[in-house]
Amino acid sequence: MLEKINQVEPNISGDDIQRVNDYMSSGAWITEHALTKELEEKIADFVGRKYAVAVPNGTIAIYLSLLAAGLTEGKRVAVPNITMIATINAILWAGAEPVIIDLNERLCMSLKSLQTVDKLDGVIYVPLNGRTEDGIAIENYCNDKNIILIEDSAHSLGSRYQDKMCGSLGSISVFSFTPHKIITMGQGGLVLTDDDSLYEYLLDLKTFNRSKDRSDWHDGFGLNFKITDLQSALGLSQFEKINEFVKVKREMFQIYKSSIENYNFINFFEYETPWFVDLICKSETERNDLKLSLEDNNILTRESYPALSKQSFLQSVEKTNLEFSENVSDNILWLPSSTNLTKDQINEIVDQISTLWTTKYL
Ligand SMILES: Cc1ncc(COP(=O)(O)O)c(C=O)c1O
């Protein structure tokens, strides 16, 4: 029996551990300070944004983006039908009204579907799994229509819209750093913007809206959404390897794609970075068969997110025609995609998938 292969796991090595040890031995106060500032500046610079604000996770990052942009009660915000639940829940949390939009064949929000909806105040665009697709066209559309665009780039640090990095679309964008993201700090999120007043608002909200003399006087309402420099020590060390991780993810996708027949892969352009390798099965049954038999061989996979429109608690949300996304969402399987997978492990996974298909479906 093979040793267990996880669908994804963090890629933590000696240099990461050393960085955290060094920080812990430095006598620093653990909470958010200079290392977090350094991480914010480095990632803002990498994606070409003026400002980045660290927050505890990606969900809070989206929520604060919506508050900062004034997308709260009475405002209508479009969201793609396949995304992690946090994207729509942040809209609900902010008190705004979500409108669910269909996807195109590359599994991102379809501009055509978006154009069928009137009176939108905001759009959250998700470069799902690192694919960027209609992102730039949607940014132009939002500019033309005076709609605020937020980019939920949780999957997509290191991916690009041809000549623009993911994390730089629209007025505000966000990243997440959970253990299954391309770089991790355990938990963590970033809000990025080029707008001075949005930045000031986010900082005030995040740090109790303290008066500038740092006293216990406050200029208004504020909360605590700080992170810790302990996390940022790890984040900085991980971020130094972003280009290496991007390369590994791109190569991994090519190996899978060139070795597996009989299943459909949706391509990535050379400027995009696959977060997970997604296999498109012909039916839900085929996907479930494949998932179970790989599991019997100690290879773990993950079903892609169900369509939001199939969640029972979202039944009353306004929707466009969602035929494409509702059909495809049950057929997508995420294969093992850790950046520390060896070539031998990938070959083993590929062999198992081919064997299953030939024995079961030929
Ligand atoms: C597309 C997307 N948005 C938002 C989030 C939420 O991020 P977090 O788990 O850091 O709160 C995730 C998490 O996986 C995600 O995939």
Side-chain angles (χ1 to χ4, degrees):
M1 187 75 148
L2 270 180
E3 218 173 284
K4 187 171 87 175
I5 300 177
N6 284 316
Q7 190 272 322
V8 72
E9 54 189 53
N11 188 345
I12 302 295
S13 43
D15 52 332
D16 298 309
I17 295 164
Q18 188 60 47
R19 190 71 79 95
V20 173
N21 276 339
D22 288 350
Y23 175 71
M24 286 306 288
S25 312
S26 72
W29 281 25
I30 327 257
T31 188
E32 183 177 313
H33 193 50
L35 293 190
T36 303
K37 186 105 196 97
E38 187 181 339
L39 183 72
E40 290 170 339
E41 286 174 1
K42 283 193 165 153
I43 298 188
D45 197 45
F46 179 73
V47 304
R49 277 285 202 210
K50 201 161 162 192
Y51 303 113
V53 179
V55 294
N57 57 55
T59 309
I60 288 174
I62 305 170
Y63 171 67
L64 295 181
S65 305
L66 290 158
L67 291 197
L71 293 170
T72 56
E73 219 178 313
K75 300 292 167 74
R76 287 156 53 74
V77 182
V79 59
N81 197 22
I82 300 184
T83 181
M84 201 250 168
I85 201 72
T87 320
I88 192 164
N89 278 356
I91 300 174
L92 295 169
W93 190 17
E97 289 167 30
V99 182
I100 302 178
I101 311 291
D102 206 10
L103 308 186
N104 61 24
E105 310 72 55
R106 297 188 75 245
L107 308 181
C108 289
M109 179 187 278
S110 149
L111 173 60
K112 247 172 138 176
S113 175
L114 182 68
Q115 285 168 329
T116 64
V117 183
D118 285 333
K119 298 199 179 87
L120 282 172
D121 302 289
V123 169
I124 302 187
Y125 186 75
V126 183
L128 191 82
N129 201 17
R131 291 195 182 87
T132 54
E133 203 45 21
D134 281 349
I136 298 291
I138 287 180
E139 187 178 54
N140 292 334
Y141 178 74
C142 288
N143 285 341
D144 283 351
K145 299 265 173 194
N146 236 345
I147 297 170
I148 296 166
L149 177 63
I150 293 174
E151 182 196 22
D152 175 358
S153 198
H155 297 174
S156 303
L157 181 64
S159 200
R160 270 192 291 131
Y161 301 88
Q162 300 200 50
D163 15 309
K164 191 179 165 90
M165 296 298 288
C166 286
S168 66
L169 199 75
S171 315
I172 316 188
S173 35
V174 311
F175 288 121
S176 153
F177 303 114
T178 53
H180 55 314
K181 300 301 185 328
I182 190 158
I183 65 166
T184 186
M185 36 205 257
Q187 295 286 334
L190 269 191
V191 188
L192 302 103
T193 184
D194 296 319
D195 185 296
D196 297 357
S197 54
L198 287 177
Y199 174 66
E200 290 299 329
Y201 178 91
L202 287 163
L203 280 189
D204 287 344
L205 194 57
K206 162 181 165 165
T207 58
F208 299 116
N209 210 339
R210 238 175 240 289
S211 301
K212 297 295 175 250
D213 63 4
R214 317 297 299 157
S215 69
D216 277 317
W217 291 97
H218 303 267
D219 292 336
F221 178 79
L223 292 164
N224 177 3
F225 294 111
K226 292 190 282 294
I227 63 163
T228 67
D229 266 19
L230 178 56
Q231 290 166 283
S232 297
L234 178 58
L236 279 166
S237 171
Q238 287 266 294
F239 182 63
E240 277 172 17
K241 294 178 276 195
I242 183 69
N243 291 329
E244 183 187 323
F245 290 161
V246 162
K247 188 162 169 271
V248 170
K249 291 268 189 190
R250 288 178 181 166
E251 284 170 0
M252 181 189 309
F253 179 78
Q254 289 309 330
I255 301 176
Y256 272 117
K257 184 174 177 295
S258 59
S259 320
I260 297 177
E261 292 172 8
N262 301 314
Y263 288 93
N264 181 18
F265 286 92
I266 301 175
N267 235 326
F268 286 86
F269 295 116
E270 97 288 339
Y271 47 83
E272 295 172 333
T273 305
W275 174 50
F276 289 164
V277 174
D278 44 4
L279 195 68
I280 318 296
C281 300
K282 287 187 194 67
S283 64
E284 187 178 359
T285 314
E286 193 182 288
R287 176 184 74 171
N288 296 345
D289 275 357
L290 183 57
K291 185 175 196 314
L292 286 179
S293 41
L294 289 173
E295 217 166 283
D296 287 344
N297 287 288
N298 246 349
I299 298 170
L300 304 188
T301 60
R302 179 173 166 190
E303 294 161 9
S304 158
Y305 310 121
L308 294 177
S309 54
K310 295 187 180 182
Q311 302 279 358
S312 55
F313 81 105
L314 296 173
Q315 286 316 297
S316 60
V317 170
E318 183 181 332
K319 304 166 180 76
T320 62
N321 178 334
L322 299 173
E323 199 180 342
F324 175 74
S325 48
E326 288 191 337
N327 284 334
V328 78
S329 68
D330 297 330
N331 302 351
I332 307 171
L333 190 66
W334 283 329
L335 298 181
S337 306
S338 307
T339 46
N340 54 11
L341 271 188
T342 64
K343 293 232 160 76
D344 283 351
Q345 284 176 311
I346 300 181
N347 288 335
E348 189 55 48
I349 297 160
V350 163
D351 284 350
Q352 294 292 344
I353 293 174
S354 305
T355 311
L356 172 86
W357 205 90
T358 356
T359 47
K360 228 169 162 169
Y361 291 98
L362 266 191

